[in-house]
Amino acid sequence: MSEMTKTNNKPQKLVEVHNLVKYFPVRGGLLQRVKAWVQAVDDVSFFIRKGETLGLVGESGCGKTTVGRTMLRLLDHTGGSVFFDGQDVFKLKGKALKAIRRDMQIIFQDPYASLDPRIPIGESVAEGLKIHGIGTPKERFDIVIDMLRKVGLEDYHARRYPHEFSGGQRQRIGIARALALNPKFIIADEPVSALDVSIQAQVLNILKDLQHEFGLTYLFIAHNLSVVEHISDRVAVMYLGKMVEMAPRDELFSNPLHPYTQALMSAIPIPDPTVQRERIILEGDVPSPLNPPSGCRFHPRCPVAMEHCSQEEPPFREALPEHWVACWRVE
């Protein structure tokens, strides 16, 4: 990872993730002893610069959401480190940890499950303000109203309950709640995956407008590559708990180096029936993270795998300027 911390003329790195590991125990037997480990995230490293959006993509179950939640310490890490604005997040305690939580927020995939059905959404949005002791009740109410307006909702919505809103409106509430504390960094965990296409565009445009207005930095987790292409500055690709490729958006979409990324790109629909794209069909199923394959985890499904791929894990290295890949085929 030493190469990934080189200084240059680009904006300063706000978030740096070094060799992040998160395993979940599988227990069984009379005493519920640990029998195995689910290797959800295994040695993942990346960085995010101030003011940019890093898109994190991959198949369902590859560890994207686990990466985001572990970074925020919503899940305890197994190994590695996360630096936010120069501070080691995993070593913070007490007041220091509470203070940094103001600057790191999350928009959950299911907004309805993340809202308390028993209280009006105005109180849900104000909850973080109350916990951090920000302002008087009147000032907190004004902040809530301002946030609701910024995401396209009305003042009277603050008195309504979650079940009275549509899915798109509830996602806007989730965005308003994440913004209320005026954070620097937001993890958007598949914020549009459950929405209609027309509503997806509205929510994405809100996120981009708010990023410009507040100077926000995003980790945008998704599995829809068209959405990621629309909102991201750089894109990182995960497979079975591992990072396999990371590059600037235009570079990745025009020149994918990893066979898995190439297969994902071939599945993107083209809005022109006269244009034909050669589809790469991957054989077999995604292996279990309980017992991942040796060597490169993608080799059982890779159409260009060599014998060496099953024997030794490829390093995640910079093959081209700003273009990182983990593949023995890439020289």
Side-chain angles (χ1 to χ4, degrees), residues 4 10 13 15 46-49 52-57 218-220 228-229 231-237 246-250 252-253 322-324:
M4 296 184 71
K10 296 192 175 181
K13 292 166 187 166
V15 179
F46 60 90
F47 61 86
I48 311 173
R49 297 186 178 97
E52 81 167 352
T53 300
L54 176 67
L56 185 59
V57 301
Y218 290 142
L219 174 62
F220 190 91
V228 169
E229 185 179 16
I231 198 170
S232 301
D233 299 300
R234 290 186 304 122
V235 180
V237 183
M246 181 173 69
R249 176 193 58 201
D250 295 340
L252 188 83
F253 278 82
E322 292 278 305
H323 196 149
W324 299 76

PDB file of all heavy atoms in Angstrom, residues 4 10 13 15 46-49 52-57 218-220 228-229 231-237 246-250 252-253 322-324:
ATOM      1  N   MET A   4       0.246   3.592  -2.799  1.00  0.00           N
ATOM      2  CA  MET A   4      -1.047   4.259  -2.870  1.00  0.00           C
ATOM      3  C   MET A   4      -1.097   5.505  -1.998  1.00  0.00           C
ATOM      4  O   MET A   4      -2.083   6.215  -1.988  1.00  0.00           O
ATOM      5  CB  MET A   4      -2.159   3.289  -2.446  1.00  0.00           C
ATOM      6  CG  MET A   4      -2.316   2.102  -3.371  1.00  0.00           C
ATOM      7  SD  MET A   4      -3.680   1.046  -2.909  1.00  0.00           S
ATOM      8  CE  MET A   4      -5.078   2.056  -3.338  1.00  0.00           C
ATOM      9  N   LYS A  10      -3.082  16.301  -6.898  1.00  0.00           N
ATOM     10  CA  LYS A  10      -4.517  16.091  -6.784  1.00  0.00           C
ATOM     11  C   LYS A  10      -4.971  16.367  -5.351  1.00  0.00           C
ATOM     12  O   LYS A  10      -4.156  16.481  -4.449  1.00  0.00           O
ATOM     13  CB  LYS A  10      -4.856  14.657  -7.198  1.00  0.00           C
ATOM     14  CG  LYS A  10      -4.524  14.409  -8.666  1.00  0.00           C
ATOM     15  CD  LYS A  10      -5.114  13.125  -9.158  1.00  0.00           C
ATOM     16  CE  LYS A  10      -4.852  12.992 -10.664  1.00  0.00           C
ATOM     17  NZ  LYS A  10      -5.412  11.779 -11.215  1.00  0.00           N
ATOM     18  N   LYS A  13      -6.072  13.106   0.198  1.00  0.00           N
ATOM     19  CA  LYS A  13      -6.873  11.930   0.497  1.00  0.00           C
ATOM     20  C   LYS A  13      -7.581  12.123   1.829  1.00  0.00           C
ATOM     21  O   LYS A  13      -6.941  12.361   2.844  1.00  0.00           O
ATOM     22  CB  LYS A  13      -5.980  10.691   0.530  1.00  0.00           C
ATOM     23  CG  LYS A  13      -5.428  10.321  -0.840  1.00  0.00           C
ATOM     24  CD  LYS A  13      -4.305   9.327  -0.756  1.00  0.00           C
ATOM     25  CE  LYS A  13      -3.683   9.134  -2.138  1.00  0.00           C
ATOM     26  NZ  LYS A  13      -2.401   8.437  -2.090  1.00  0.00           N
ATOM     27  N   VAL A  15      -9.977   9.753   2.992  1.00  0.00           N
ATOM     28  CA  VAL A  15     -10.166   8.412   3.565  1.00  0.00           C
ATOM     29  C   VAL A  15      -9.125   7.472   2.963  1.00  0.00           C
ATOM     30  O   VAL A  15      -8.937   7.444   1.748  1.00  0.00           O
ATOM     31  CB  VAL A  15     -11.585   7.872   3.266  1.00  0.00           C
ATOM     32  CG1 VAL A  15     -11.752   6.474   3.854  1.00  0.00           C
ATOM     33  CG2 VAL A  15     -12.645   8.810   3.808  1.00  0.00           C
ATOM     34  N   PHE A  46      -7.929   0.833  -0.394  1.00  0.00           N
ATOM     35  CA  PHE A  46      -8.253   1.878  -1.367  1.00  0.00           C
ATOM     36  C   PHE A  46      -8.199   3.221  -0.661  1.00  0.00           C
ATOM     37  O   PHE A  46      -7.989   3.300   0.550  1.00  0.00           O
ATOM     38  CB  PHE A  46      -9.628   1.653  -2.003  1.00  0.00           C
ATOM     39  CG  PHE A  46     -10.777   1.640  -1.032  1.00  0.00           C
ATOM     40  CD1 PHE A  46     -11.460   2.807  -0.702  1.00  0.00           C
ATOM     41  CD2 PHE A  46     -11.198   0.448  -0.454  1.00  0.00           C
ATOM     42  CE1 PHE A  46     -12.516   2.798   0.197  1.00  0.00           C
ATOM     43  CE2 PHE A  46     -12.257   0.422   0.439  1.00  0.00           C
ATOM     44  CZ  PHE A  46     -12.906   1.600   0.767  1.00  0.00           C
ATOM     45  N   PHE A  47      -8.381   4.298  -1.411  1.00  0.00           N
ATOM     46  CA  PHE A  47      -8.413   5.649  -0.843  1.00  0.00           C
ATOM     47  C   PHE A  47      -9.478   6.461  -1.556  1.00  0.00           C
ATOM     48  O   PHE A  47      -9.903   6.125  -2.668  1.00  0.00           O
ATOM     49  CB  PHE A  47      -7.035   6.330  -0.959  1.00  0.00           C
ATOM     50  CG  PHE A  47      -6.569   6.501  -2.389  1.00  0.00           C
ATOM     51  CD1 PHE A  47      -6.952   7.603  -3.149  1.00  0.00           C
ATOM     52  CD2 PHE A  47      -5.737   5.547  -2.968  1.00  0.00           C
ATOM     53  CE1 PHE A  47      -6.531   7.744  -4.458  1.00  0.00           C
ATOM     54  CE2 PHE A  47      -5.309   5.689  -4.279  1.00  0.00           C
ATOM     55  CZ  PHE A  47      -5.705   6.792  -5.031  1.00  0.00           C
ATOM     56  N   ILE A  48      -9.920   7.534  -0.900  1.00  0.00           N
ATOM     57  CA  ILE A  48     -10.891   8.453  -1.493  1.00  0.00           C
ATOM     58  C   ILE A  48     -10.400   9.872  -1.247  1.00  0.00           C
ATOM     59  O   ILE A  48     -10.100  10.236  -0.106  1.00  0.00           O
ATOM     60  CB  ILE A  48     -12.302   8.277  -0.889  1.00  0.00           C
ATOM     61  CG1 ILE A  48     -12.714   6.798  -0.872  1.00  0.00           C
ATOM     62  CG2 ILE A  48     -13.325   9.091  -1.676  1.00  0.00           C
ATOM     63  CD1 ILE A  48     -14.017   6.533  -0.152  1.00  0.00           C
ATOM     64  N   ARG A  49     -10.294  10.655  -2.298  1.00  0.00           N
ATOM     65  CA  ARG A  49      -9.829  12.033  -2.174  1.00  0.00           C
ATOM     66  C   ARG A  49     -10.979  12.950  -1.761  1.00  0.00           C
ATOM     67  O   ARG A  49     -12.153  12.642  -1.967  1.00  0.00           O
ATOM     68  CB  ARG A  49      -9.231  12.518  -3.493  1.00  0.00           C
ATOM     69  CG  ARG A  49      -7.992  11.743  -3.933  1.00  0.00           C
ATOM     70  CD  ARG A  49      -7.357  12.374  -5.162  1.00  0.00           C
ATOM     71  NE  ARG A  49      -6.164  11.661  -5.557  1.00  0.00           N
ATOM     72  CZ  ARG A  49      -6.126  10.727  -6.513  1.00  0.00           C
ATOM     73  NH1 ARG A  49      -7.244  10.412  -7.153  1.00  0.00           N
ATOM     74  NH2 ARG A  49      -5.006  10.120  -6.822  1.00  0.00           N
ATOM     75  N   GLU A  52     -14.471  13.859  -3.941  1.00  0.00           N
ATOM     76  CA  GLU A  52     -14.739  12.949  -5.051  1.00  0.00           C
ATOM     77  C   GLU A  52     -15.702  11.843  -4.637  1.00  0.00           C
ATOM     78  O   GLU A  52     -15.999  11.658  -3.452  1.00  0.00           O
ATOM     79  CB  GLU A  52     -13.438  12.346  -5.584  1.00  0.00           C
ATOM     80  CG  GLU A  52     -12.889  11.176  -4.785  1.00  0.00           C
ATOM     81  CD  GLU A  52     -11.789  10.414  -5.521  1.00  0.00           C
ATOM     82  OE1 GLU A  52     -11.544  10.676  -6.709  1.00  0.00           O
ATOM     83  OE2 GLU A  52     -11.164   9.551  -4.873  1.00  0.00           O
ATOM     84  N   THR A  53     -16.183  11.111  -5.635  1.00  0.00           N
ATOM     85  CA  THR A  53     -17.055   9.965  -5.400  1.00  0.00           C
ATOM     86  C   THR A  53     -16.359   8.711  -5.900  1.00  0.00           C
ATOM     87  O   THR A  53     -16.005   8.624  -7.078  1.00  0.00           O
ATOM     88  CB  THR A  53     -18.396  10.123  -6.137  1.00  0.00           C
ATOM     89  OG1 THR A  53     -19.059  11.302  -5.667  1.00  0.00           O
ATOM     90  CG2 THR A  53     -19.298   8.922  -5.901  1.00  0.00           C
ATOM     91  N   LEU A  54     -16.153   7.761  -4.990  1.00  0.00           N
ATOM     92  CA  LEU A  54     -15.619   6.453  -5.378  1.00  0.00           C
ATOM     93  C   LEU A  54     -16.779   5.475  -5.443  1.00  0.00           C
ATOM     94  O   LEU A  54     -17.472   5.256  -4.444  1.00  0.00           O
ATOM     95  CB  LEU A  54     -14.578   5.969  -4.369  1.00  0.00           C
ATOM     96  CG  LEU A  54     -14.016   4.560  -4.639  1.00  0.00           C
ATOM     97  CD1 LEU A  54     -13.179   4.536  -5.910  1.00  0.00           C
ATOM     98  CD2 LEU A  54     -13.200   4.052  -3.455  1.00  0.00           C
ATOM     99  N   GLY A  55     -17.021   4.908  -6.611  1.00  0.00           N
ATOM    100  CA  GLY A  55     -18.048   3.886  -6.757  1.00  0.00           C
ATOM    101  C   GLY A  55     -17.476   2.518  -6.433  1.00  0.00           C
ATOM    102  O   GLY A  55     -16.406   2.161  -6.920  1.00  0.00           O
ATOM    103  N   LEU A  56     -18.169   1.757  -5.598  1.00  0.00           N
ATOM    104  CA  LEU A  56     -17.743   0.414  -5.218  1.00  0.00           C
ATOM    105  C   LEU A  56     -18.773  -0.581  -5.746  1.00  0.00           C
ATOM    106  O   LEU A  56     -19.934  -0.557  -5.323  1.00  0.00           O
ATOM    107  CB  LEU A  56     -17.609   0.305  -3.698  1.00  0.00           C
ATOM    108  CG  LEU A  56     -17.053  -1.000  -3.120  1.00  0.00           C
ATOM    109  CD1 LEU A  56     -15.656  -1.283  -3.661  1.00  0.00           C
ATOM    110  CD2 LEU A  56     -17.034  -0.960  -1.610  1.00  0.00           C
ATOM    111  N   VAL A  57     -18.362  -1.435  -6.685  1.00  0.00           N
ATOM    112  CA  VAL A  57     -19.311  -2.317  -7.366  1.00  0.00           C
ATOM    113  C   VAL A  57     -18.890  -3.773  -7.218  1.00  0.00           C
ATOM    114  O   VAL A  57     -17.750  -4.089  -6.867  1.00  0.00           O
ATOM    115  CB  VAL A  57     -19.437  -1.959  -8.859  1.00  0.00           C
ATOM    116  CG1 VAL A  57     -19.889  -0.531  -9.031  1.00  0.00           C
ATOM    117  CG2 VAL A  57     -18.123  -2.190  -9.602  1.00  0.00           C
ATOM    118  N   TYR A 218     -18.008  11.019  -1.243  1.00  0.00           N
ATOM    119  CA  TYR A 218     -18.893   9.855  -1.215  1.00  0.00           C
ATOM    120  C   TYR A 218     -18.131   8.552  -1.447  1.00  0.00           C
ATOM    121  O   TYR A 218     -17.219   8.495  -2.284  1.00  0.00           O
ATOM    122  CB  TYR A 218     -19.954   9.936  -2.323  1.00  0.00           C
ATOM    123  CG  TYR A 218     -21.020  10.984  -2.167  1.00  0.00           C
ATOM    124  CD1 TYR A 218     -21.499  11.676  -3.280  1.00  0.00           C
ATOM    125  CD2 TYR A 218     -21.586  11.272  -0.930  1.00  0.00           C
ATOM    126  CE1 TYR A 218     -22.498  12.635  -3.171  1.00  0.00           C
ATOM    127  CE2 TYR A 218     -22.577  12.222  -0.808  1.00  0.00           C
ATOM    128  CZ  TYR A 218     -23.034  12.905  -1.926  1.00  0.00           C
ATOM    129  OH  TYR A 218     -24.015  13.850  -1.809  1.00  0.00           O
ATOM    130  N   LEU A 219     -18.562   7.501  -0.727  1.00  0.00           N
ATOM    131  CA  LEU A 219     -18.314   6.124  -1.147  1.00  0.00           C
ATOM    132  C   LEU A 219     -19.667   5.607  -1.592  1.00  0.00           C
ATOM    133  O   LEU A 219     -20.573   5.418  -0.762  1.00  0.00           O
ATOM    134  CB  LEU A 219     -17.752   5.277  -0.001  1.00  0.00           C
ATOM    135  CG  LEU A 219     -17.600   3.776  -0.314  1.00  0.00           C
ATOM    136  CD1 LEU A 219     -16.619   3.548  -1.447  1.00  0.00           C
ATOM    137  CD2 LEU A 219     -17.179   2.987   0.923  1.00  0.00           C
ATOM    138  N   PHE A 220     -19.831   5.401  -2.899  1.00  0.00           N
ATOM    139  CA  PHE A 220     -21.134   5.042  -3.459  1.00  0.00           C
ATOM    140  C   PHE A 220     -21.129   3.552  -3.788  1.00  0.00           C
ATOM    141  O   PHE A 220     -20.473   3.111  -4.728  1.00  0.00           O
ATOM    142  CB  PHE A 220     -21.410   5.871  -4.715  1.00  0.00           C
ATOM    143  CG  PHE A 220     -22.813   5.758  -5.231  1.00  0.00           C
ATOM    144  CD1 PHE A 220     -23.793   6.645  -4.812  1.00  0.00           C
ATOM    145  CD2 PHE A 220     -23.160   4.755  -6.130  1.00  0.00           C
ATOM    146  CE1 PHE A 220     -25.100   6.539  -5.278  1.00  0.00           C
ATOM    147  CE2 PHE A 220     -24.451   4.641  -6.595  1.00  0.00           C
ATOM    148  CZ  PHE A 220     -25.429   5.539  -6.167  1.00  0.00           C
ATOM    149  N   VAL A 228     -23.377   3.805 -11.409  1.00  0.00           N
ATOM    150  CA  VAL A 228     -22.017   4.125 -10.960  1.00  0.00           C
ATOM    151  C   VAL A 228     -21.305   5.015 -11.973  1.00  0.00           C
ATOM    152  O   VAL A 228     -20.607   5.964 -11.605  1.00  0.00           O
ATOM    153  CB  VAL A 228     -21.228   2.814 -10.723  1.00  0.00           C
ATOM    154  CG1 VAL A 228     -19.749   3.104 -10.512  1.00  0.00           C
ATOM    155  CG2 VAL A 228     -21.789   2.079  -9.522  1.00  0.00           C
ATOM    156  N   GLU A 229     -21.490   4.723 -13.244  1.00  0.00           N
ATOM    157  CA  GLU A 229     -20.859   5.535 -14.292  1.00  0.00           C
ATOM    158  C   GLU A 229     -21.369   6.973 -14.256  1.00  0.00           C
ATOM    159  O   GLU A 229     -20.633   7.917 -14.525  1.00  0.00           O
ATOM    160  CB  GLU A 229     -21.128   4.915 -15.668  1.00  0.00           C
ATOM    161  CG  GLU A 229     -20.405   5.630 -16.803  1.00  0.00           C
ATOM    162  CD  GLU A 229     -20.655   4.984 -18.149  1.00  0.00           C
ATOM    163  OE1 GLU A 229     -21.605   4.186 -18.267  1.00  0.00           O
ATOM    164  OE2 GLU A 229     -19.910   5.288 -19.098  1.00  0.00           O
ATOM    165  N   ILE A 231     -22.444   8.736 -11.572  1.00  0.00           N
ATOM    166  CA  ILE A 231     -22.166   9.547 -10.378  1.00  0.00           C
ATOM    167  C   ILE A 231     -20.705   9.522  -9.932  1.00  0.00           C
ATOM    168  O   ILE A 231     -20.274  10.407  -9.194  1.00  0.00           O
ATOM    169  CB  ILE A 231     -23.081   9.099  -9.204  1.00  0.00           C
ATOM    170  CG1 ILE A 231     -23.148  10.184  -8.128  1.00  0.00           C
ATOM    171  CG2 ILE A 231     -22.619   7.755  -8.630  1.00  0.00           C
ATOM    172  CD1 ILE A 231     -24.192   9.953  -7.063  1.00  0.00           C
ATOM    173  N   SER A 232     -19.913   8.532 -10.364  1.00  0.00           N
ATOM    174  CA  SER A 232     -18.584   8.331  -9.773  1.00  0.00           C
ATOM    175  C   SER A 232     -17.477   9.078 -10.516  1.00  0.00           C
ATOM    176  O   SER A 232     -17.557   9.303 -11.724  1.00  0.00           O
ATOM    177  CB  SER A 232     -18.245   6.835  -9.752  1.00  0.00           C
ATOM    178  OG  SER A 232     -19.197   6.119  -9.001  1.00  0.00           O
ATOM    179  N   ASP A 233     -16.423   9.414  -9.761  1.00  0.00           N
ATOM    180  CA  ASP A 233     -15.185   9.926 -10.350  1.00  0.00           C
ATOM    181  C   ASP A 233     -14.208   8.777 -10.593  1.00  0.00           C
ATOM    182  O   ASP A 233     -13.496   8.766 -11.594  1.00  0.00           O
ATOM    183  CB  ASP A 233     -14.538  10.954  -9.411  1.00  0.00           C
ATOM    184  CG  ASP A 233     -15.434  12.154  -9.172  1.00  0.00           C
ATOM    185  OD1 ASP A 233     -15.759  12.832 -10.162  1.00  0.00           O
ATOM    186  OD2 ASP A 233     -15.819  12.404  -8.017  1.00  0.00           O
ATOM    187  N   ARG A 234     -14.152   7.856  -9.642  1.00  0.00           N
ATOM    188  CA  ARG A 234     -13.356   6.641  -9.785  1.00  0.00           C
ATOM    189  C   ARG A 234     -14.229   5.454  -9.399  1.00  0.00           C
ATOM    190  O   ARG A 234     -15.212   5.617  -8.674  1.00  0.00           O
ATOM    191  CB  ARG A 234     -12.096   6.680  -8.903  1.00  0.00           C
ATOM    192  CG  ARG A 234     -11.046   7.677  -9.373  1.00  0.00           C
ATOM    193  CD  ARG A 234      -9.758   7.593  -8.564  1.00  0.00           C
ATOM    194  NE  ARG A 234     -10.023   7.775  -7.138  1.00  0.00           N
ATOM    195  CZ  ARG A 234      -9.712   6.882  -6.206  1.00  0.00           C
ATOM    196  NH1 ARG A 234      -9.154   5.734  -6.532  1.00  0.00           N
ATOM    197  NH2 ARG A 234      -9.966   7.138  -4.935  1.00  0.00           N
ATOM    198  N   VAL A 235     -13.844   4.262  -9.878  1.00  0.00           N
ATOM    199  CA  VAL A 235     -14.638   3.058  -9.628  1.00  0.00           C
ATOM    200  C   VAL A 235     -13.719   1.942  -9.146  1.00  0.00           C
ATOM    201  O   VAL A 235     -12.634   1.734  -9.702  1.00  0.00           O
ATOM    202  CB  VAL A 235     -15.389   2.604 -10.898  1.00  0.00           C
ATOM    203  CG1 VAL A 235     -16.219   1.355 -10.613  1.00  0.00           C
ATOM    204  CG2 VAL A 235     -16.289   3.724 -11.425  1.00  0.00           C
ATOM    205  N   ALA A 236     -14.159   1.247  -8.088  1.00  0.00           N
ATOM    206  CA  ALA A 236     -13.444   0.077  -7.570  1.00  0.00           C
ATOM    207  C   ALA A 236     -14.365  -1.138  -7.700  1.00  0.00           C
ATOM    208  O   ALA A 236     -15.572  -1.037  -7.458  1.00  0.00           O
ATOM    209  CB  ALA A 236     -13.053   0.287  -6.108  1.00  0.00           C
ATOM    210  N   VAL A 237     -13.788  -2.277  -8.085  1.00  0.00           N
ATOM    211  CA  VAL A 237     -14.554  -3.501  -8.330  1.00  0.00           C
ATOM    212  C   VAL A 237     -14.125  -4.565  -7.325  1.00  0.00           C
ATOM    213  O   VAL A 237     -12.927  -4.836  -7.165  1.00  0.00           O
ATOM    214  CB  VAL A 237     -14.337  -4.013  -9.770  1.00  0.00           C
ATOM    215  CG1 VAL A 237     -15.205  -5.243 -10.030  1.00  0.00           C
ATOM    216  CG2 VAL A 237     -14.652  -2.918 -10.785  1.00  0.00           C
ATOM    217  N   MET A 246      -9.349  -1.026  -9.731  1.00  0.00           N
ATOM    218  CA  MET A 246      -9.734   0.331  -9.339  1.00  0.00           C
ATOM    219  C   MET A 246      -9.089   1.308 -10.318  1.00  0.00           C
ATOM    220  O   MET A 246      -7.886   1.220 -10.572  1.00  0.00           O
ATOM    221  CB  MET A 246      -9.302   0.644  -7.908  1.00  0.00           C
ATOM    222  CG  MET A 246      -9.691   2.038  -7.426  1.00  0.00           C
ATOM    223  SD  MET A 246      -9.347   2.298  -5.658  1.00  0.00           S
ATOM    224  CE  MET A 246      -7.548   2.304  -5.669  1.00  0.00           C
ATOM    225  N   ALA A 247      -9.898   2.231 -10.852  1.00  0.00           N
ATOM    226  CA  ALA A 247      -9.375   3.170 -11.842  1.00  0.00           C
ATOM    227  C   ALA A 247     -10.321   4.355 -11.964  1.00  0.00           C
ATOM    228  O   ALA A 247     -11.477   4.295 -11.515  1.00  0.00           O
ATOM    229  CB  ALA A 247      -9.232   2.475 -13.203  1.00  0.00           C
ATOM    230  N   PRO A 248      -9.876   5.462 -12.577  1.00  0.00           N
ATOM    231  CA  PRO A 248     -10.805   6.549 -12.895  1.00  0.00           C
ATOM    232  C   PRO A 248     -11.953   6.029 -13.749  1.00  0.00           C
ATOM    233  O   PRO A 248     -11.768   5.084 -14.544  1.00  0.00           O
ATOM    234  CB  PRO A 248      -9.925   7.538 -13.676  1.00  0.00           C
ATOM    235  CG  PRO A 248      -8.537   7.281 -13.191  1.00  0.00           C
ATOM    236  CD  PRO A 248      -8.480   5.804 -12.929  1.00  0.00           C
ATOM    237  N   ARG A 249     -13.104   6.625 -13.601  1.00  0.00           N
ATOM    238  CA  ARG A 249     -14.332   6.108 -14.252  1.00  0.00           C
ATOM    239  C   ARG A 249     -14.153   5.890 -15.750  1.00  0.00           C
ATOM    240  O   ARG A 249     -14.411   4.790 -16.262  1.00  0.00           O
ATOM    241  CB  ARG A 249     -15.478   7.091 -14.008  1.00  0.00           C
ATOM    242  CG  ARG A 249     -16.778   6.727 -14.719  1.00  0.00           C
ATOM    243  CD  ARG A 249     -17.733   7.886 -14.696  1.00  0.00           C
ATOM    244  NE  ARG A 249     -17.129   9.060 -15.331  1.00  0.00           N
ATOM    245  CZ  ARG A 249     -17.541  10.311 -15.123  1.00  0.00           C
ATOM    246  NH1 ARG A 249     -18.522  10.551 -14.284  1.00  0.00           N
ATOM    247  NH2 ARG A 249     -16.963  11.319 -15.752  1.00  0.00           N
ATOM    248  N   ASP A 250     -13.728   6.917 -16.474  1.00  0.00           N
ATOM    249  CA  ASP A 250     -13.629   6.800 -17.934  1.00  0.00           C
ATOM    250  C   ASP A 250     -12.605   5.746 -18.329  1.00  0.00           C
ATOM    251  O   ASP A 250     -12.809   5.007 -19.301  1.00  0.00           O
ATOM    252  CB  ASP A 250     -13.260   8.154 -18.551  1.00  0.00           C
ATOM    253  CG  ASP A 250     -14.349   9.198 -18.340  1.00  0.00           C
ATOM    254  OD1 ASP A 250     -15.504   8.795 -18.073  1.00  0.00           O
ATOM    255  OD2 ASP A 250     -14.051  10.401 -18.443  1.00  0.00           O
ATOM    256  N   LEU A 252     -11.755   3.061 -16.563  1.00  0.00           N
ATOM    257  CA  LEU A 252     -12.255   1.713 -16.266  1.00  0.00           C
ATOM    258  C   LEU A 252     -13.278   1.264 -17.301  1.00  0.00           C
ATOM    259  O   LEU A 252     -13.262   0.119 -17.751  1.00  0.00           O
ATOM    260  CB  LEU A 252     -12.877   1.675 -14.865  1.00  0.00           C
ATOM    261  CG  LEU A 252     -13.243   0.266 -14.390  1.00  0.00           C
ATOM    262  CD1 LEU A 252     -12.024  -0.432 -13.816  1.00  0.00           C
ATOM    263  CD2 LEU A 252     -14.348   0.288 -13.346  1.00  0.00           C
ATOM    264  N   PHE A 253     -14.183   2.169 -17.694  1.00  0.00           N
ATOM    265  CA  PHE A 253     -15.235   1.780 -18.627  1.00  0.00           C
ATOM    266  C   PHE A 253     -14.712   1.618 -20.052  1.00  0.00           C
ATOM    267  O   PHE A 253     -15.301   0.876 -20.846  1.00  0.00           O
ATOM    268  CB  PHE A 253     -16.381   2.795 -18.583  1.00  0.00           C
ATOM    269  CG  PHE A 253     -17.336   2.565 -17.442  1.00  0.00           C
ATOM    270  CD1 PHE A 253     -17.040   3.030 -16.165  1.00  0.00           C
ATOM    271  CD2 PHE A 253     -18.513   1.870 -17.624  1.00  0.00           C
ATOM    272  CE1 PHE A 253     -17.911   2.815 -15.097  1.00  0.00           C
ATOM    273  CE2 PHE A 253     -19.391   1.641 -16.572  1.00  0.00           C
ATOM    274  CZ  PHE A 253     -19.086   2.113 -15.303  1.00  0.00           C
ATOM    275  N   GLU A 322      -2.744   5.368 -12.013  1.00  0.00           N
ATOM    276  CA  GLU A 322      -4.056   5.449 -11.346  1.00  0.00           C
ATOM    277  C   GLU A 322      -4.952   4.241 -11.620  1.00  0.00           C
ATOM    278  O   GLU A 322      -6.126   4.243 -11.257  1.00  0.00           O
ATOM    279  CB  GLU A 322      -4.805   6.733 -11.741  1.00  0.00           C
ATOM    280  CG  GLU A 322      -4.184   8.007 -11.217  1.00  0.00           C
ATOM    281  CD  GLU A 322      -4.574   8.288  -9.770  1.00  0.00           C
ATOM    282  OE1 GLU A 322      -5.766   8.332  -9.460  1.00  0.00           O
ATOM    283  OE2 GLU A 322      -3.661   8.449  -8.952  1.00  0.00           O
ATOM    284  N   HIS A 323      -4.426   3.223 -12.280  1.00  0.00           N
ATOM    285  CA  HIS A 323      -5.238   2.049 -12.639  1.00  0.00           C
ATOM    286  C   HIS A 323      -4.662   0.822 -11.939  1.00  0.00           C
ATOM    287  O   HIS A 323      -3.613   0.306 -12.329  1.00  0.00           O
ATOM    288  CB  HIS A 323      -5.236   1.854 -14.157  1.00  0.00           C
ATOM    289  CG  HIS A 323      -6.317   0.932 -14.646  1.00  0.00           C
ATOM    290  ND1 HIS A 323      -6.916   1.057 -15.884  1.00  0.00           N
ATOM    291  CD2 HIS A 323      -6.928  -0.138 -14.057  1.00  0.00           C
ATOM    292  CE1 HIS A 323      -7.830   0.111 -16.030  1.00  0.00           C
ATOM    293  NE2 HIS A 323      -7.844  -0.626 -14.925  1.00  0.00           N
ATOM    294  N   TRP A 324      -5.366   0.354 -10.899  1.00  0.00           N
ATOM    295  CA  TRP A 324      -4.925  -0.763 -10.070  1.00  0.00           C
ATOM    296  C   TRP A 324      -5.689  -2.026 -10.454  1.00  0.00           C
ATOM    297  O   TRP A 324      -6.898  -1.989 -10.722  1.00  0.00           O
ATOM    298  CB  TRP A 324      -5.171  -0.455  -8.594  1.00  0.00           C
ATOM    299  CG  TRP A 324      -4.419   0.741  -8.115  1.00  0.00           C
ATOM    300  CD1 TRP A 324      -4.706   2.055  -8.343  1.00  0.00           C
ATOM    301  CD2 TRP A 324      -3.226   0.733  -7.333  1.00  0.00           C
ATOM    302  NE1 TRP A 324      -3.775   2.862  -7.753  1.00  0.00           N
ATOM    303  CE2 TRP A 324      -2.844   2.079  -7.122  1.00  0.00           C
ATOM    304  CE3 TRP A 324      -2.442  -0.276  -6.783  1.00  0.00           C
ATOM    305  CZ2 TRP A 324      -1.730   2.439  -6.386  1.00  0.00           C
ATOM    306  CZ3 TRP A 324      -1.326   0.064  -6.051  1.00  0.00           C
ATOM    307  CH2 TRP A 324      -0.976   1.425  -5.854  1.00  0.00           C
TER     308      TRP A 324
END
